[in-house]
RNA sequence: GCCCGCGUAGCUCAGUUGGCAGAGCACGUCCUUGGUAAGGACGAGGUCAUCGGUUCAAACCCGAUCGCGGGCUCCA
């Protein structure tokens, strides 16, 4: 980001985030406190287990941690003992003293103590940078700070150790795993208690818990498989309501809908570039060849492997090849073999993304600039073989319905299209009452062109500039992070915060200037030349799975009327015939208007019927008795809000229909 | 995939030192006829994740596998 853009960026950002300097200062204060707590934790652990090896202990958004290696396996039973030692250290009111050491001094210190991880960390500090230490009491740590002045600034009641987990040294799965103790710290006990209460609320809202309680989805790892959710009837209502919202919104925005198969031949993913780089995250291929064809293919592949080896040898050879078989010829032969292999086909992959199928739809008919922008939308099911440890309820799954669309446009149309996509995001946020969000703009790293990112330096610059320009002009709250783009173009991930302040990455919006070319997609331009379109991938509602998981937590399962699986339940005071007739006529009327209504005219006591409807989180209960029957009225009770009194039947029906139609919050 | 923890009825969970498999909710049948969060009785429901081992005896101890959870790593 250059200097001219800086002020605009700042103002756009601060407008949405509304974070005052005072708040920033407070945050820094909290970070200092937590960082100091990490040191106090390490001090305490070393007192209790003097042979512990230390790695690092930074503050986090939620608290702090410190990584250790030692024989003793930490368990939560150790926490009271460690916490007590930590409190003792705060009472000792040790001063945090900073000192600068030479590299040699630092090295000698840690080597003398056998702190091998610290020695390695020391090696990470670039030459010429100051090597700073902080000491409190007997504990000395390699640390850039900052800290509070004294351990006494940490209030003993404001500290709590939370959990023990493991973490790889330097976050690399090839490195040894250390034991990480997580804790949190606040200015005082009251703030800590508030935070703990919040955590408790989050546990209550856990989408896995509510999903089971409300009968939204089920997991069947034994018969169906891990990460492959089954949507139960009530959950399917959510899926279909979201889909309807997307279809209506996209229709109004000029999208057209398409439908594509769940699998495709190997050639598809070779062309898209996903194979072999992402093969690991895809389900393994289905082999469709008969025995003799497979033999033929294996022979071809063997010949290809030989030629590749030969080509590599020729590439390295200094003197010319006496046989006259040039490297170029070898390369051509390899390509010939490859097309023979793909022609044989035989391998099918479940799709891990919809883009290639949509690209083939683009290619299915000749395109003119008059057809652009072409906006292809589909709620397509994708399959990704996520690592077992990554699965998480319906938030991270192996089969997912993506609210996907691909927008093919010219470079001139790009900015408008991109802006319209952003506006669609904002529209959705409003419907769901998401007032806190942030867009994360991921750009490429010029140093890794040709490896992680397609080697198109000019297109990268051009598209990134366009995206940045739109973000700034729209006044959208965003941050820019380098080196996290997709391999085919810059991307935007949308982070939203649920009603209880938890952060989720919910949507994605990506620019693709590489893959359309790989598929040879073109349109005929005004000047009668063939041009390659730009492509925008966008999924404002992400996947059904993750978005519904998020909504469950956001609403704590208390969905607005238009989304509620059971919108209305009619309850009778008794099971006498005239009353039941009246109740049935109300349900029939609502049902004919496509309201999801159920009736309960059993002889059970009305209190029990209400309790049952409340625990099922039915949005609106209509209680009818003799009084209502005579007056042509219904008594309305709202979930969680109680009785709101009797109203004329026609008025209540009209209200319900309007609330649903307008998707009121 | 890696480290640690956990798998008992549809759900939430008891189950003592290894000695007959339990409760509440939900479900079914019957009774109960009532005005805004729970009326009563009875009943059904289990290969204690799976496989193997130790033991006179295993839900309990040991091992493996599968699954789930907390993290790490990853997320086109």
């Amino acid at each position: 980001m250059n200097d001219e853009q800086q002020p605009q960026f700042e103002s756009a950002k601060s407008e949405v985030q509304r974070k005052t300097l005072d708040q920033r200062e407070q945050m820094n204060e909290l970070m200092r406190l937590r960082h100091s707590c990490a040191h106090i934790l390490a001090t305490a652990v070393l007192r209790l287990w003097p042979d512990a090896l230390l790695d690092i202990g930074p503050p986090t958004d939620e608290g702090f941690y410190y990584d250790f290696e030692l024989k003793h396996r930490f368990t939560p039973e150790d926490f009271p003992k460690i916490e007590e030692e930590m409190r003792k250290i705060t009472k000792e009111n040790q001063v945090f003293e900073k000192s600068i050491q030479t590299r040699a001094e630092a090295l000698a210190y840690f080597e003398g103590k056998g702190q091998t991880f610290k020695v390695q960390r020391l090696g990470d500090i670039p030459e010429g940078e100051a090597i700073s230490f902080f000491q409190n009491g007997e504990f000395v740590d390699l640390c850039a700070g900052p800290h509070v002045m004294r351990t006494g600034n940490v209030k003993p009641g404001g500290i709590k150790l939370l959990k023990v987990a493991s973490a790889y040294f330097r976050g690399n799965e090839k490195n040894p795993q250390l034991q990480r103790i997580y804790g949190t710290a606040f200015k005082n006990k009251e703030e800590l208690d508030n935070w703990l209460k919040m955590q408790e609320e989050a546990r209550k809202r856990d989408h896995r818990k509510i999903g089971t309680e409300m009968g939204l989805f089920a997991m069947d790892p034994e018969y169906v498989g891990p990460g492959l959710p089954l949507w139960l009837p009530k959950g399917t209502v959510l899926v279909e309501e979201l889909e309807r919202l997307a279809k209506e919104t996209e229709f109004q925005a000029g999208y057209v809908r398409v439908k594509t198969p769940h699998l495709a031949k190997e050639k598809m993913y070779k062309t898209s570039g996903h194979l072999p780089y992402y093969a690991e995250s895809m389900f393994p291929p289905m082999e469709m060849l008969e025995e003799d064809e497979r033999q033929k293919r294996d022979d071809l592949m063997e010949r290809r492997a030989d030629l590749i080896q030969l080509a590599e040898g020729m590439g390295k050879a200094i003197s010319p090849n006496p046989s006259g078989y040039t490297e170029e010829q070898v390369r051509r032969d390899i390509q010939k073999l490859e097309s023979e292999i793909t022609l044989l086909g035989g391998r099918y992959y479940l799709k891990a993304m919809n883009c290639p199928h949509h690209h083939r739809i683009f290619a299915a008919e000749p395109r003119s600039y008059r057809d652009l922008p072409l906006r292809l939308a589909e709620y397509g099911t994708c399959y990704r073989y996520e690592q077992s440890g990554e699965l998480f309820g319906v938030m991270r799954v192996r089969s997912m319905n993506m609210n996907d669309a691909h927008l093919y446009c010219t470079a001139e149309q790009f900015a408008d299209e991109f802006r319209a996509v952003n506006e669609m995001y904002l529209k959705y946020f409003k419907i769901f009452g998401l007032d806190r969000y942030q867009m994360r703009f991921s750009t490429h790293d010029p140093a890794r062109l040709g490896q992680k990112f397609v080697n198109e330096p000019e297109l990268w610059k051009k598209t990134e500039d366009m995206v940045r320009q739109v973000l700034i002009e729209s006044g959208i709250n965003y941050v820019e992070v380098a080196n996290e783009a997709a391999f085919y173009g810059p991307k935007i991930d949308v982070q939203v915060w649920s009603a209880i302040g938890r952060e989720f990455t919910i949507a994605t919006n990506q620019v693709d200037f590489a893959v359309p070319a790989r598929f040879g997609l073109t349109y005929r331009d005004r000047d009668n030349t063939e041009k390659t379109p730009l492509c925008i991938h966008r999924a404002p509602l992400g996947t059904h799975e993750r978005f519904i998981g998020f909504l469950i937590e956001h609403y704590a399962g208390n969905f607005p009327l238009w989304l509620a699986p059971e919108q209305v339940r009619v309850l009778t005071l008794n099971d006498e015939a005239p009353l039941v007739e009246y109740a049935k006529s109300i349900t029939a009327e609502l049902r004919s208007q496509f309201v999801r209504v159920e009736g309960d005219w059993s002889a059970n006591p009305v209190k029990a019927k209400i309790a049952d409807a409340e625990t099922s989180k039915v949005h609106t209960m209509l209680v009818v008795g003799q009084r209502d029957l005579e007056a042509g009225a219904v008594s309305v009770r709202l979930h969680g809000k109680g009785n709101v009194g009797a109203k004329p039947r026609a008025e209540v029906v009209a209200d319900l229909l309007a609330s649903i139609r307008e998707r009121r919050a």
Side-chain angles (χ1 to χ4, degrees):
Chain A
M1 171 151 306
N2 64 39
D3 289 25
E4 312 165 1
Q5 283 163 341
Q6 192 72 33
Q8 274 173 299
F9 165 70
E10 274 302 328
S11 67
K13 192 179 152 132
S14 56
E15 194 182 349
V16 184
Q17 226 175 25
R18 285 181 233 102
K19 196 176 277 168
T20 64
L21 263 179
D22 198 37
Q23 281 171 317
R24 275 171 212 275
E25 190 50 41
Q26 271 180 356
M27 238 181 64
N28 288 338
E29 209 176 288
L30 193 58
M31 283 296 181
R32 273 209 298 277
L33 180 81
R34 288 173 172 173
H35 193 173
S36 301
C37 280
H39 281 230
I40 293 170
L41 169 62
T43 313
V45 166
L46 273 183
R47 281 186 185 176
L48 296 164
W49 292 274
D51 57 339
L53 293 185
L54 307 180
D55 184 27
I56 51 166
T60 67
D61 288 346
E62 301 273 83
F64 61 90
Y65 65 82
Y66 213 107
D67 286 346
F68 303 95
E69 185 183 85
L70 77 161
K71 259 220 190 74
H72 172 77
R73 288 260 154 224
F74 290 124
T75 68
E77 277 95 79
D78 295 325
F79 290 173
K81 196 163 59 178
I82 302 171
E83 283 175 353
E84 194 191 327
E85 198 61 42
M86 289 174 73
R87 294 201 179 94
K88 219 188 285 173
I89 293 163
T90 64
K91 293 209 179 94
E92 287 166 20
N93 205 14
Q94 304 163 347
V95 179
F96 278 99
E97 269 181 294
K98 183 175 175 167
S99 63
I100 302 292
Q101 310 273 331
T102 66
R103 189 169 291 266
E105 284 168 342
L107 203 61
Y109 177 78
F110 287 126
E111 277 178 347
K113 296 220 159 204
Q115 291 284 0
T116 52
F117 296 109
K118 287 291 182 194
V119 171
Q120 291 191 59
R121 290 284 179 185
L122 200 55
D124 294 345
I125 302 175
E127 284 299 334
E129 200 164 289
I131 294 174
S132 79
F133 277 74
F134 272 86
Q135 174 159 17
N136 59 288
E138 76 274 19
F139 179 67
V140 181
D141 204 357
L142 177 68
C143 175
H147 282 281
V148 293
M149 299 296 288
R150 301 171 148 270
T151 59
N153 293 51
V154 179
K155 294 287 161 269
I159 321 174
K160 189 170 174 61
L161 296 183
L162 299 171
K163 57 196 165 195
V164 48
S166 76
Y168 296 104
F169 176 58
R170 284 181 172 144
N172 185 328
E173 61 183 318
K174 302 218 164 52
N175 285 339
Q177 289 196 314
L178 308 172
Q179 298 188 67
R180 175 172 296 179
I181 296 182
Y182 281 95
T184 193
F186 286 87
K187 224 163 55 191
N188 51 46
K189 187 165 185 327
E190 197 192 339
E191 287 189 15
L192 172 67
D193 287 345
N194 283 342
W195 184 82
L196 289 172
K197 240 180 256 160
M198 179 79 152
Q199 294 299 105
E200 182 56 34
E201 179 63 25
R203 264 193 293 281
K204 273 193 226 149
R205 289 178 178 229
D206 190 309
H207 80 278
R208 292 163 299 188
K209 186 171 139 70
I210 293 180
T212 308
E213 282 166 3
M214 291 184 71
L216 301 178
F217 54 81
M219 290 292 182
D220 186 353
E222 193 182 349
Y223 283 83
V224 184
L228 302 172
L230 297 171
W231 288 104
L232 304 179
K234 286 187 175 167
T236 305
V237 166
L238 296 173
V239 166
E240 294 197 333
E241 281 298 337
L242 291 178
E243 211 161 304
R244 178 160 25 185
L245 170 66
K247 282 180 182 171
E248 289 175 8
T249 309
E250 286 161 6
F251 177 81
Q252 286 173 341
Y255 290 52
V256 288
R257 302 200 71 76
V258 293
K259 281 221 168 276
T260 62
H262 292 208
L263 32 65
K265 290 169 83 173
E266 186 168 48
K267 179 166 189 177
M268 181 79 107
Y269 303 106
K270 278 200 167 155
T271 307
S272 71
H274 288 105
L275 282 176
Y277 302 108
Y278 299 106
E280 230 170 72
S281 324
M282 294 176 75
F283 277 80
M286 279 160 271
E287 185 69 76
M288 302 304 288
L289 292 181
E290 298 296 330
E291 188 52 49
D292 54 331
E293 293 172 305
R294 196 178 309 169
Q295 187 58 51
K296 190 173 166 197
R297 192 201 52 211
D298 290 348
D299 289 347
L300 290 170
M301 284 175 71
E302 207 171 304
R303 271 165 60 198
R304 186 187 60 167
D306 289 346
L307 286 182
I308 287 173
Q309 215 170 6
L310 179 66
E312 274 170 10
M314 288 167 108
K316 283 184 202 132
I318 305 156
S319 54
N321 189 327
S323 72
Y325 194 29
T326 65
E327 199 185 331
E328 198 185 322
Q329 281 170 326
V330 178
R331 299 254 174 238
R332 226 180 2 244
D333 286 348
I334 291 174
Q335 282 215 325
K336 222 154 68 186
L337 282 172
E338 252 161 26
S339 55
E340 266 183 76
I341 292 167
T342 36
L343 217 65
L344 258 179
R347 282 210 182 113
Y348 285 80
Y349 283 86
L350 280 169
K351 65 176 171 188
M353 65 293 294
N354 297 303
C355 354
H357 281 88
H358 290 183
H359 294 336
R360 294 316 299 165
I361 287 179
F362 187 95
E365 298 176 276
R367 305 289 176 184
S368 143
Y369 72 96
R370 295 175 200 271
D371 299 328
L372 303 185
L374 178 67
R375 311 181 187 92
L376 302 179
E378 175 176 19
Y379 250 111
T381 313
C382 298
Y383 303 85
R384 299 183 186 181
Y385 197 79
E386 306 284 6
Q387 290 185 52
S388 60
E390 291 164 350
L391 300 175
F392 175 60
V394 290
M395 300 292 283
R396 191 79 184 270
V397 289
R398 286 178 174 162
S399 71
M400 64 211 86
N401 286 277
M402 298 191 78
N403 169 221
D404 224 345
H406 293 90
L407 283 53
Y408 300 87
C409 63
T410 67
E412 295 73 50
Q413 292 165 337
F414 178 84
D416 281 344
E417 288 302 309
F418 196 80
R419 185 175 300 113
V421 167
N422 280 333
E423 276 161 17
M424 192 181 286
Y425 279 86
L426 300 182
K427 183 179 166 178
Y428 285 137
F429 294 163
K430 204 171 158 210
I431 290 173
F432 296 106
L434 305 175
D435 39 20
R436 199 171 157 214
Y437 64 87
Q438 181 175 67
M439 296 204 183
R440 197 178 153 85
F441 176 31
S442 302
T443 57
H444 78 300
D445 176 357
R448 301 183 68 182
L449 282 170
Q451 304 154 34
K452 193 176 170 186
F453 306 111
V454 287
N455 195 6
E456 297 274 7
E458 274 170 38
L459 276 169
W460 277 106
K461 189 180 175 334
K462 203 166 125 191
T463 49
E464 285 175 2
D465 284 349
M466 284 195 284
V467 169
R468 195 179 293 114
Q469 197 59 34
V470 171
L471 286 169
I472 291 166
E473 281 168 13
S474 318
I476 280 170
N477 174 31
Y478 81 99
V479 288
E480 188 166 330
V481 277
N483 195 23
E484 287 194 10
F487 76 89
Y488 46 65
K491 71 170 182 177
I492 288 176
D493 289 317
V494 183
Q495 267 140 311
V496 291
W497 280 263
S498 74
I500 54 167
R502 256 222 299 207
E503 177 188 333
F504 294 86
T505 299
I506 218 72
T508 179
N509 188 1
Q510 304 171 0
V511 182
D512 184 344
F513 50 76
V515 183
R518 297 172 81 129
F519 275 95
L521 304 187
T522 56
Y523 64 94
R524 191 160 292 275
D525 207 352
R526 235 181 221 94
D527 59 5
N528 202 25
T529 59
E530 297 282 328
K531 292 205 174 123
T532 301
L534 283 174
C535 179
I536 300 172
H537 304 235
R538 38 110 285 171
L541 300 177
T543 65
H544 279 141
E545 287 73 15
R546 184 172 291 187
F547 197 71
I548 290 173
F550 166 77
L551 288 183
I552 290 171
E553 170 169 322
H554 184 62
Y555 291 121
N558 304 315
F559 297 103
L561 186 64
W562 70 275
L563 262 179
E566 188 176 340
Q567 295 172 310
V568 180
R569 190 181 293 182
V570 181
L571 314 173
T572 56
L573 234 62
N574 57 50
D575 66 348
E576 280 158 21
L579 197 54
V580 172
E581 274 317 300
Y582 183 55
K584 279 186 177 169
S585 81
I586 298 169
T587 48
E589 182 184 356
L590 289 170
R591 197 157 269 274
S592 74
Q593 299 290 327
F594 302 102
V595 176
R596 295 181 290 272
V597 55
E598 301 294 335
D600 182 354
W601 27 80
S602 65
N604 290 331
V606 74
K607 277 182 187 252
K609 295 200 213 180
I610 286 170
D612 185 58
E614 287 283 355
T615 42
S616 313
K617 300 182 191 291
V618 176
H619 186 281
T620 299
M621 288 148 272
L622 302 180
V623 181
V624 293
Q626 194 59 29
R627 258 178 4 223
D628 304 290
L629 171 59
E630 280 159 16
V634 292
S635 298
V636 180
R637 181 188 167 97
L638 297 176
H639 170 57
K641 297 197 180 92
N643 188 5
V644 294
K647 286 181 194 167
R649 168 181 170 169
E651 188 185 311
V652 170
V653 171
D655 259 10
L656 286 169
L657 294 179
S659 171
I660 292 168
R661 192 176 51 244
E662 294 163 23
R663 297 195 173 98
R664 288 186 198 152

